[in-house]
Amino acid sequence: MRGIIFYKVLEDMHAHLYNKGELSSAAASLHDTDDAVPTTTAASFSINNLQPLSRRTRSHKGDNQLGAYGLVDGPYVPSSVDGGSSYDGHEEDGGFDGHGETASNGYTASGRVNGGDNSKDAKTISRQIPIWLSASTPDEFVELLRKSDAPVHVKYLQTMVECLCMLGKVAAAGAIICQRLRPTLHEIISTKIKAYAERVISSRPGMNQAARDSSTAKGQLQSYQLSKQKRQNGTSMPGTLLAVSPVSPVMAPMGTAQATAKELLDSIFDTVVRIFENHVIVGNLLESKSSQIGLNTPKSMPVDITWNPDSEARDTGGYSIGFSLTVLQSECQQLICEILRATPDAASADTSAQTARLAKKTSSKSKSKDKRVGSEDGLTFAFRFTDVSVPNQGDLIRQNWKKGPNVQEGYGSAAVLPEQGIYLAASVYRPVLQFSDKISSILPQKYSQLGNDGLLAFLENFVKEHFLPTLFVDYRKSVQQAISSPAAFRPRAHTAATYTPSIEKGRPVLQGLLAIEFLAKEVFGWAQAMPKFAGDLINNVQAFLERSYERCRTSYMEAVLEKQSYMLIGRHDIENLMRRDPASSCLPNSCGQTQVDTDASAAEISEFETEMSDLLLNLRPIKQENLIRDDNKLILLASLSDSLEYVADSIERLGKASSRTYNNREENGTTQSHHTRTRSTPPKDLVSFADEYRKLAIDCLKVLRVEMQLETIFHMQIMSSREYSEDEDAEEPDDFVIALVSQITRRDEEMAPFLAGPKRSYILGGICSVAANAAIKGLAEIKSINLFGVQQICRNSIALEQALSAIPSTNSEAVQLRLDRVRTYFELLNMPFEALLAFIMEHVDLFKAVEYSNLLKVSVPGRDIPADAQARVNEILSR
């Protein structure tokens, strides 16, 4: 009889351990209060079915320890194993009604107790106090339980353990719980995954079975690709951008697989935590009762096991909180390994064989606590969870208790996840971290080390030893492919005639740099998913950015090597001048912002332009081989500059975000538990990398500005070798002016799609001042000029003004003022000397003294210059 009672109590306790019983925490959560939970169902055994059969028989047998709990009173008749009913009991006179149905196990079942239906009374009582307590004979335990504020499911588990203790079956129960723990948990996880998969399929109405059976990733991947390929204006993203990442879109940090894996694990871990809470309750009770079994057991009741208070594992049949946690975390580890495809055999195989091997391994408890076990081949994990061996309970197994099913290979997670693989570690990490926090809060103090060295330690070791190295290798390869392809630094042809600032609308960022920015953001996505490893991952980003910068620098050098403009911007005097240039205010500063300098006066601007053009004019003659004659290289520099600035802005945003991520970790680290005991070093400030990219972008613009100024001097220097003693009035500008004008117009049109207006204005803004200064200085080198020659130079000035004014990015008013000055200067050659003196007296500051002197030196047919002309001019200028 004790054996029958034992198995019924054990079966019901087993169901409640895994929240399948009618009084489990899962069932209680469906009701407003614990007291409203019904106490009997057809699917779960209840102590209510073992109520005293009659007061008359109780008086014959007398009270005993089991009768005090309503378990045995008089001739006990067992209820059916499948619960919820019992034999019809004795009437008041002790008679027996043998009518009833035969259950599947041979027992006769009935839904009546004491010959009557007490369901109404049971419900009434249950609102006040659980019926298995209300109908129990009071004693110290019952009174303690009645006064307890614990939830019903906790009281019920306490009652089950008390029953096992009185039966002297603590070790036997512990052994069976140990043997059933792994297969039960495996089945719960597999069932939950299967239900999740069915729910996902059912949420997609209108799909036939064949479509439902296909991978969910296909449609999601196609929609992702379409969204990436199409921009708002309908143009396509570069094909290399979709192929550049080492992971598919569904496996990306924000991909479907990541979200699904996290949602699935959150659900499973929540179930496992609630199961572990029950095991902590039972484990604590069994361990505490095992040392008192000799005192609590009636003398008339034999004990099956010789108790040794010094052997915790033997006293409880090998069962303990530590054992249950080890197995729970072991099963969770195997599920994670299946999701990550991390097995000893191959990174792409499932974990079925590993799970089966692990389920069969056993070792002593002392070994499992301290020894770290690694796999024999393939991936080497930090340790391997193992089962704790239990005493031989073959005689118990041979009775009515059924052996649990063999551990099935795998959990079926592939049916839920569109993809599996090592990159899902990012979505696994946070659920494991939260799971470990919950486990640590539940664990008794003496088991705290098991929480510290459990599933989280395994995953962190896996991330350090496998995920991070794999990610670095994969992304380094992707970076190399992105920057080494022939199209990586080839400016893309665009139908748009003007620059578009938005990347979504077609900003023509170089494909190589667009891919680098995409990869950097993706790696940063992994860092955000795993803040503990943010430092390591950001270091990877920095390594990729450094390698990309070197490639950009190489591309830049290929365009400017041995060219005069590149060498000039490196000269100390030129560099200082360009830094002082008011026009450089349109360039981005260290924060990536542009500020227009409106404080510089016209006189200051003129002074700077004159100083700069004088330096450049002193370099004459400019040789053609020292200029960048290939327009494609100029376009590359323009495109490279804008692309570098785009990446610099993106890097700067990542740097700020990474600082926030790290600061949040630092702040949280003061309040969180053991998970912050080891941290990555603070990430290097990514802003420094943004500055490097931005500096190179500015160098490209500086080269282009100086290049256009040198190009202007190259054409204008032809003036010094020309004879301006024309025989007739020509209708066209000089050939060198026509060539310069056409080149300016063509290059502006070609660079227009790749640079914003202010940047093009900076590049072309130095042309006018250099051309004007070159024309005025050129007069000193002209030996003779007649009226037609003056008209020709004025015509050249007008043509240049028209060309520059037609460029949208230039300041037409400033161009007109500078070139009007050129025409005014040359038209002074047509004045008689006395009229010239009068002009000089009225406009002393319009030209320099040397420029007024040059007007006297040049030979102009028909103009008389007296011998003291220079002295008279000097006298006027010295006043």
Side-chain angles (χ1 to χ4, degrees):
M1 186 180 298
R2 283 194 306 107
I4 294 172
I5 296 173
F6 164 65
Y7 283 112
K8 299 188 71 61
V9 171
L10 182 61
E11 174 134 6
D12 209 40
M13 186 174 74
H14 187 269
H16 282 79
L17 270 174
Y18 299 98
N19 294 310
K20 295 181 179 180
E22 62 183 17
L23 296 176
S24 66
S25 59
S29 65
L30 300 177
H31 301 268
D32 293 337
T33 63
D34 287 336
D35 291 338
V37 178
T39 57
T40 58
T41 64
S44 178
F45 169 75
S46 173
I47 298 297
N48 182 44
N49 299 320
L50 299 178
Q51 293 296 318
L53 299 183
S54 73
R55 296 186 181 275
R56 185 179 302 171
T57 53
R58 182 189 305 147
S59 63
H60 289 305
K61 304 299 287 187
D63 290 338
N64 59 36
Q65 193 74 4
L66 291 177
Y69 301 99
L71 290 175
V72 175
D73 190 2
Y76 166 72
V77 182
S79 65
S80 62
V81 172
D82 58 352
S85 60
S86 68
Y87 283 113
D88 281 347
H90 289 274
E91 303 293 343
E92 287 297 321
D93 60 356
F96 180 75
D97 182 6
H99 300 289
E101 298 177 358
T102 302
S104 59
N105 59 359
Y107 291 138
T108 304
S110 172
R112 296 161 57 87
V113 177
N114 293 337
D117 187 355
N118 64 350
S119 60
K120 182 177 180 180
D121 294 336
K123 290 182 180 179
T124 303
I125 295 172
S126 68
R127 294 191 185 96
Q128 301 171 358
I129 190 169
I131 194 168
W132 87 89
L133 288 181
S134 65
S136 300
T137 303
D139 74 344
E140 183 179 353
F141 173 78
V142 172
E143 291 305 316
L144 184 65
L145 213 58
R146 285 178 175 175
K147 295 176 182 178
S148 172
D149 293 330
V152 171
H153 75 279
V154 174
K155 293 181 180 180
Y156 198 70
L157 288 172
Q158 291 172 332
T159 305
M160 296 292 98
V161 173
E162 186 74 11
C163 294
L164 292 173
C165 180
M166 293 179 344
L167 290 167
K169 298 286 187 178
V170 171
I176 294 177
I177 291 173
C178 287
Q179 293 168 343
R180 295 280 294 177
L181 178 55
R182 182 178 294 280
T184 302
L185 188 64
H186 192 283
E187 181 183 3
I188 288 173
I189 294 175
S190 300
T191 302
K192 198 166 187 66
I193 292 174
K194 183 179 180 181
Y196 186 96
E198 292 175 352
R199 188 165 63 251
V200 170
I201 292 175
S202 64
S203 66
R204 299 194 301 271
M207 295 180 64
N208 56 33
Q209 190 59 40
R212 290 181 180 180
D213 292 339
S214 64
S215 172
T216 58
K218 291 182 179 179
Q220 294 161 337
L221 177 59
Q222 291 171 355
S223 63
Y224 179 92
Q225 289 176 332
L226 285 174
S227 66
K228 283 289 185 183
Q229 288 173 345
K230 295 294 182 180
R231 294 199 181 112
Q232 294 181 10
N233 63 356
T235 60
S236 297
M237 289 286 282
T240 55
L241 186 57
L242 290 174
V244 72
S245 175
V247 298
S248 65
V250 296
M251 284 287 279
M254 301 300 290
T256 307
Q258 301 289 341
T260 303
K262 183 181 183 303
E263 183 180 353
L264 179 65
L265 284 176
D266 281 338
S267 175
I268 290 173
F269 285 157
D270 180 65
T271 299
V272 172
V273 167
R274 288 190 285 112
I275 290 172
F276 182 62
E277 287 176 342
N278 295 334
H279 277 276
V280 169
I281 296 169
V282 172
N284 272 329
L285 290 171
L286 287 178
E287 292 173 14
S288 63
K289 291 294 184 181
S290 64
S291 61
Q292 306 172 12
I293 191 67
L295 298 177
N296 291 344
T297 305
K299 294 180 180 180
S300 60
M301 184 178 296
V303 179
D304 290 349
I305 297 177
T306 302
W307 298 102
N308 181 0
D310 297 327
S311 177
E312 178 187 279
R314 185 176 182 185
D315 290 346
T316 59
Y319 179 76
S320 69
I321 293 174
F323 169 79
S324 60
L325 176 60
T326 299
V327 175
L328 287 172
Q329 293 198 103
S330 173
E331 283 299 311
C332 291
Q333 176 191 339
Q334 299 313 305
L335 172 62
I336 290 171
C337 287
E338 178 177 289
I339 292 173
L340 301 180
R341 293 187 181 273
T343 69
D345 298 326
S348 60
D350 62 32
T351 60
S352 57
Q354 181 184 0
T355 304
R357 285 196 301 272
L358 185 57
K360 294 176 183 177
K361 286 183 178 181
T362 57
S363 66
S364 66
K365 183 176 179 181
S366 60
K367 290 182 180 179
S368 67
K369 265 191 173 182
D370 302 324
K371 187 175 180 180
R372 293 177 179 265
V373 182
S375 63
E376 296 79 11
D377 52 1
L379 296 178
T380 302
F381 298 132
F383 59 86
R384 185 73 70 201
F385 290 108
T386 56
D387 290 345
V388 178
S389 60
V390 297
N392 183 12
Q393 301 293 336
D395 57 330
L396 299 177
I397 299 298
R398 284 191 292 271
Q399 298 184 43
N400 291 332
W401 186 268
K402 296 180 181 180
K403 287 185 67 175
N406 293 330
V407 176
Q408 299 297 317
E409 294 187 355
Y411 300 85
S413 60
V416 177
L417 294 170
E419 286 191 34
Q420 293 180 325
I422 193 171
Y423 280 93
L424 286 179
S427 60
V428 169
Y429 179 75
R430 196 172 296 275
V432 169
L433 181 64
Q434 294 169 348
F435 170 78
S436 299
D437 279 334
K438 293 176 183 177
I439 291 295
S440 297
S441 66
I442 297 170
L443 270 177
Q445 183 60 35
K446 67 177 181 178
Y447 292 109
S448 59
Q449 189 59 34
L450 279 177
N452 292 344
D453 294 336
L455 195 61
L456 180 61
F458 153 73
L459 187 59
E460 287 182 348
N461 288 334
F462 177 81
V463 170
K464 290 176 184 177
E465 297 174 10
H466 302 287
F467 175 76
L468 292 179
T470 299
L471 181 144
F472 180 77
V473 171
D474 288 349
Y475 276 85
R476 182 177 60 184
K477 186 184 298 182
S478 295
V479 168
Q480 186 60 32
Q481 291 174 347
I483 62 179
S484 62
S485 66
F489 288 88
R490 182 186 303 147
R492 290 182 283 132
H494 266 258
T495 56
T498 57
Y499 176 78
T500 302
S502 171
I503 190 71
E504 290 78 16
K505 294 183 178 180
R507 183 174 179 177
V509 178
L510 290 168
Q511 290 187 10
L513 285 174
L514 192 64
I516 295 305
E517 188 259 352
F518 178 83
L519 291 171
K521 289 169 65 175
E522 196 162 87
V523 176
F524 184 71
W526 301 123
Q528 287 182 312
M530 297 183 291
K532 179 180 176 65
F533 305 98
D536 297 319
L537 289 164
I538 291 174
N539 286 338
N540 289 346
V541 174
Q542 293 167 355
F544 303 149
L545 292 176
E546 188 173 1
R547 177 68 186 92
S548 304
Y549 177 80
E550 292 172 359
R551 179 63 182 87
C552 293
R553 185 78 187 177
T554 300
S555 180
Y556 166 76
M557 291 303 299
E558 289 174 353
V560 302
L561 189 62
E562 297 182 355
K563 300 304 178 182
Q564 197 165 10
S565 54
Y566 163 69
M567 292 184 284
L568 283 175
I569 67 168
R571 271 178 45 173
H572 185 68
D573 54 346
I574 300 290
E575 184 182 5
N576 288 337
L577 271 176
M578 297 191 77
R579 189 179 294 114
R580 289 169 39 210
D581 187 354
S584 64
S585 60
C586 72
L587 301 178
N589 56 26
S590 59
C591 298
Q593 300 172 341
T594 56
Q595 297 179 349
V596 179
D597 187 0
T598 58
D599 297 333
S601 64
E604 291 173 338
I605 294 174
S606 176
E607 181 182 357
F608 165 79
E609 289 179 346
T610 300
E611 187 176 355
M612 185 68 180
S613 61
D614 285 347
L615 272 174
L616 296 178
L617 288 170
N618 290 336
L619 300 174
R620 294 178 299 173
I622 303 297
K623 297 181 180 179
Q624 187 171 358
E625 58 267 23
N626 293 333
L627 299 175
I628 303 175
R629 304 299 295 176
D630 188 352
D631 287 350
N632 291 326
K633 290 184 177 181
L634 295 173
I635 296 171
L636 170 62
L637 289 173
S639 180
L640 183 61
S641 175
D642 184 67
S643 300
L644 285 165
E645 186 173 345
Y646 168 78
V647 176
D649 292 341
S650 181
I651 295 171
E652 198 167 63
R653 288 191 296 269
L654 291 181
K656 293 177 181 178
S658 67
S659 298
R660 289 195 299 269
T661 299
Y662 185 79
N663 291 336
N664 290 339
R665 289 176 58 245
E666 287 295 310
E667 293 171 3
N668 295 337
T670 59
T671 57
Q672 285 186 352
S673 59
H674 58 277
H675 305 304
T676 56
R677 65 187 184 275
T678 57
R679 299 193 191 98
S680 300
T681 57
K684 182 183 177 182
D685 192 359
L686 285 174
V687 174
S688 61
F689 283 89
D691 287 342
E692 292 299 317
Y693 274 74
R694 195 168 282 119
K695 286 176 183 176
L696 185 57
I698 293 173
D699 283 349
C700 291
L701 296 179
K702 288 182 176 179
V703 165
L704 289 171
R705 180 178 173 89
V706 174
E707 183 67 27
M708 292 306 298
Q709 290 173 318
L710 293 178
E711 189 76 36
T712 302
I713 295 174
F714 171 75
H715 288 87
M716 295 295 294
Q717 67 188 4
I718 300 176
M719 278 184 62
S720 59
S721 61
R722 285 254 355 232
E723 291 290 339
Y724 278 93
S725 300
E726 307 290 343
D727 296 333
E728 58 182 14
D729 188 8
E731 296 181 357
E732 297 293 334
D734 284 328
D735 291 341
F736 67 85
V737 173
I738 294 175
L740 176 61
V741 165
S742 64
Q743 193 172 57
I744 292 171
T745 304
R746 183 180 69 254
R747 288 181 175 177
D748 177 65
E749 291 175 351
E750 290 174 340
M751 287 189 292
F754 300 98
L755 284 174
K759 305 295 172 47
R760 297 207 317 277
S761 177
Y762 175 77
I763 293 170
L764 303 175
I767 294 175
C768 185
S769 60
V770 168
N773 200 21
I776 291 174
K777 283 184 176 296
L779 179 62
E781 300 170 0
I782 297 176
K783 295 179 180 180
S784 176
I785 184 170
N786 61 10
L787 176 62
F788 292 128
V790 171
Q791 292 176 347
Q792 184 67 31
I793 290 176
C794 290
R795 189 174 293 108
N796 291 345
S797 173
I798 293 172
L800 190 59
E801 178 185 334
Q802 290 174 343
L804 292 175
S805 298
I807 296 174
S809 58
T810 59
N811 185 340
S812 300
E813 184 179 353
V815 168
Q816 182 180 0
L817 288 174
R818 291 186 183 95
L819 295 177
D820 274 349
R821 184 171 178 271
V822 173
R823 290 192 290 272
T824 300
Y825 182 72
F826 277 89
E827 286 172 354
L828 292 176
L829 295 173
N830 296 328
M831 289 185 179
F833 177 71
E834 295 299 330
L836 177 61
L837 284 180
F839 180 88
I840 294 173
M841 292 178 64
E842 294 177 4
H843 304 87
V844 173
D845 297 327
L846 184 58
F847 298 100
K848 295 178 182 180
V850 66
E851 293 172 347
Y852 278 125
S853 297
N854 289 337
L855 290 173
L856 303 176
K857 293 177 182 179
V858 67
S859 174
V860 179
R863 186 184 68 166
D864 294 330
I865 300 295
D868 61 346
Q870 187 64 57
R872 295 171 66 181
V873 170
N874 290 341
E875 182 183 358
I876 296 172
L877 294 176
S878 63
R879 292 176 184 176

